Amino acid sequence: MSSLASDADEGREIARPTRSQRDPEWLRERLNAWIKTRAGDDAEVTEVVLPSANGMSSETLLAEALIDGAPQSLVVRVAPVAESDPVFPSYDLDGQYRLIEHVAATTDVPLPRLWWSEPDPAPLGAPFFVMSRVDGRVPPDVMPYTFSSWVTEATPDERAEMARRSVEVLTRIHAAPIEGSGVEPPREGETPLQAHLRRLRDFYEWASRDGVSSPLIERGFAWAEEHRPAETETVLCWGDSRIGNIIYDGFTPAAVLDWEMATVGPRELDIAWMIFIHRFFQDITELAGLDGLPDFLTRDQVATDYLAASGHQPHNLDYFTLYSALIHAVVMYRIQTRAIHFGQAEAPADPDDMIMHRKTLEAMLAGTYWGSIK
Ligand SMILES: Nc1ncnc2c1ncn2[C@@H]1O[C@H](COP(=O)(O)OP(=O)(O)O)[C@@H](O)[C@H]1O
Ligand SMILES: [Mg+2]
């Protein structure tokens, strides 16, 4: 999930409810006992480190292990524990593992090597899965890569290549068979986009069950229902398709991470999310008085790159970028109401102020956002 610094850090605080689960040595002992049940008695976990990294919806641990006598650098992705009042009401980590397995088996999308999934919460306090660590670099969320990062330090040509190759990864994901992916299908009589909207609305209603609601989000839903395009095509969508979820080797994607928002739907869900999340960071950067990267991942260039890589012309990007801004608004709203609930943030007088990009969403709804933007 995309999130900002303070939110992410606060989320992590709560997401580890006991001291022991923050203690690398406790985690190492537990993982060490567990790995022997999977890889034999001579397997060993020699070190566990808790990194500070992008994202907040699950925990990521780094581990060093010996498996069949060979050293292995592992990443352990742990589901959030229920007591932490997670951002999302349900979390199917084993389903994510199976989906990655499916994409690995049916496409050449770059993915981390998978080792094991452990759905039983007993060993670590929550389900988890184990994958190999992939070397490379990730565009940071904190501070956003648009401020100052290896991405801003790259040349325009390097960034163009990075964008082109990232979009090309989307086309590979979209060529994966839906059958066998395990992703929840729409209900009888619903299009995949209708199903997506329904789930997003259910999530919003769950997040606003304490009474506060956001007029802007509700306006966004009304607009999204009213302007919903008729769909012709459905593909497997990654869901959280942003460059902050890609590990790069140089400027080439080496691994695609974070499959928890995967869905079936129009390919534009992923295309627009990639464009929008960049715009989200870019808008923040401009508000801070910096240039950022206004020529990177532009709507037109992403559409051109997607067409060139796949033969499919993206459609309705006005709609899908607004819809992306709405998805992000709902997630931010949930993160903020949760932070207020935990006493980590104060409720603003205007609930729409919980949405950091409210001006963007308002301008999109007014039809004025893209006027001066590429
Ligand atoms: N297989 C991996 N190899 C190397 N680093 C990883 C791997 N998986 C996750 N990471 C690191 O952990 C961070 C968060 O992982 P991600 O899957 O995006 O989870 P989140 O849900 O927390 O966003 C990534 O930005 C990356 O730095
Ligand atoms: Mg992530």
Side-chain angles (χ1 to χ4, degrees):
M1 260 305 131
S2 48
S3 54
L4 287 168
S6 58
D7 299 330
D9 292 343
E10 283 160 9
R12 284 178 187 283
E13 291 288 324
I14 307 158
R16 297 192 187 104
T18 65
R19 281 189 76 83
S20 56
Q21 278 164 310
R22 301 203 66 145
D23 175 0
E25 183 50 25
W26 183 89
L27 288 162
R28 192 198 64 76
E29 283 166 21
R30 306 293 299 225
L31 273 174
N32 187 48
W34 174 85
I35 205 168
K36 295 175 193 301
T37 68
R38 295 297 178 110
D41 274 349
D42 59 349
E44 218 184 314
V45 173
T46 52
E47 193 188 353
V48 168
V49 178
L50 308 182
S52 62
N54 283 3
M56 68 166 291
S57 49
S58 69
E59 288 292 316
T60 304
L61 314 175
L62 305 180
E64 297 299 333
L66 277 173
I67 302 173
D68 293 330
Q72 300 286 351
S73 294
L74 304 176
V75 174
V76 184
R77 187 164 168 83
V78 189
V81 292
E83 302 79 64
S84 68
D85 184 21
V87 170
F88 298 102
S90 68
Y91 202 86
D92 178 9
L93 200 65
D94 188 55
Q96 282 176 43
Y97 183 89
R98 287 166 196 278
L99 172 61
I100 299 169
E101 237 177 8
H102 168 76
V103 177
T106 57
T107 70
D108 52 6
V109 173
L111 292 162
R113 172 182 174 187
L114 294 174
W115 288 86
W116 309 280
S117 173
E118 179 51 87
D120 183 352
L124 282 193
F128 63 95
F129 72 73
V130 181
M131 58 188 146
S132 284
R133 198 172 322 157
V134 175
D135 288 334
R137 50 190 187 175
V138 177
D141 294 349
V142 182
M143 300 288 282
Y145 63 85
T146 39
F147 279 69
S148 172
S149 68
W150 62 269
V151 187
T152 58
E153 282 155 19
T155 66
D157 282 352
E158 286 168 335
R159 272 194 300 274
E161 181 190 333
M162 178 181 171
R164 189 174 51 73
R165 289 180 182 271
S166 305
V167 170
E168 199 259 332
V169 163
L170 294 186
T171 70
R172 292 196 225 175
I173 295 170
H174 297 164
I178 291 174
E179 196 173 325
S181 67
V183 171
E184 187 186 331
R187 287 178 186 162
E188 186 87 27
E190 264 181 349
T191 67
L193 184 55
Q194 274 175 313
H196 200 280
L197 261 161
R198 166 178 54 78
R199 292 188 203 110
L200 187 64
R201 196 184 263 285
D202 286 350
F203 176 55
Y204 169 69
E205 267 153 27
W206 172 80
S208 53
R209 66 199 179 286
D210 287 346
V212 190
S213 56
S214 158
L216 177 58
I217 288 176
E218 283 165 20
R219 221 149 50 79
F221 272 116
W223 188 96
E225 302 277 5
E226 193 189 333
H227 296 86
R228 185 169 48 76
E231 290 163 66
T232 51
E233 241 195 328
T234 299
V235 299
L236 179 70
C237 289
W238 171 15
D240 205 354
S241 53
R242 57 197 195 84
I243 59 169
N245 279 326
I246 297 177
I247 301 176
Y248 292 87
D249 173 8
F251 298 94
T252 303
V256 171
L257 306 174
D258 243 353
W259 290 80
E260 72 213 26
M261 286 167 68
T263 188
V264 290
R267 52 186 84 238
E268 285 81 4
L269 281 176
D270 276 349
I271 299 167
W273 187 250
M274 187 168 273
I275 295 164
F276 168 73
I277 295 292
H278 174 67
R279 285 304 321 172
F280 172 74
F281 286 135
Q282 177 62 23
D283 289 343
I284 292 173
T285 311
E286 288 177 16
L287 276 175
L290 299 169
D291 292 342
L293 297 168
D295 301 324
F296 183 50
L297 289 172
T298 63
R299 204 165 47 149
D300 286 351
Q301 192 60 49
V302 169
T304 301
D305 288 346
Y306 192 92
L307 174 63
S310 70
H312 291 277
Q313 173 72 54
H315 295 295
N316 301 313
L317 287 179
D318 275 345
Y319 180 87
F320 285 101
T321 47
L322 189 151
Y323 189 55
S324 297
L326 177 64
I327 296 170
H328 199 46
V330 173
V331 174
M332 284 229 138
Y333 169 83
R334 163 64 183 147
I335 289 170
Q336 280 305 110
T337 50
R338 181 177 177 277
I340 292 162
H341 175 83
F342 279 100
Q344 294 170 331
E346 272 194 41
D350 180 352
D352 290 344
D353 283 339
M354 289 194 267
I355 301 153
M356 181 177 296
H357 60 291
R358 71 173 287 177
K359 290 216 153 45
T360 299
L361 181 53
E362 284 165 348
M364 284 179 168
L365 285 166
T368 56
Y369 181 75
W370 292 103
S372 59
I373 291 168
K374 281 171 224 169

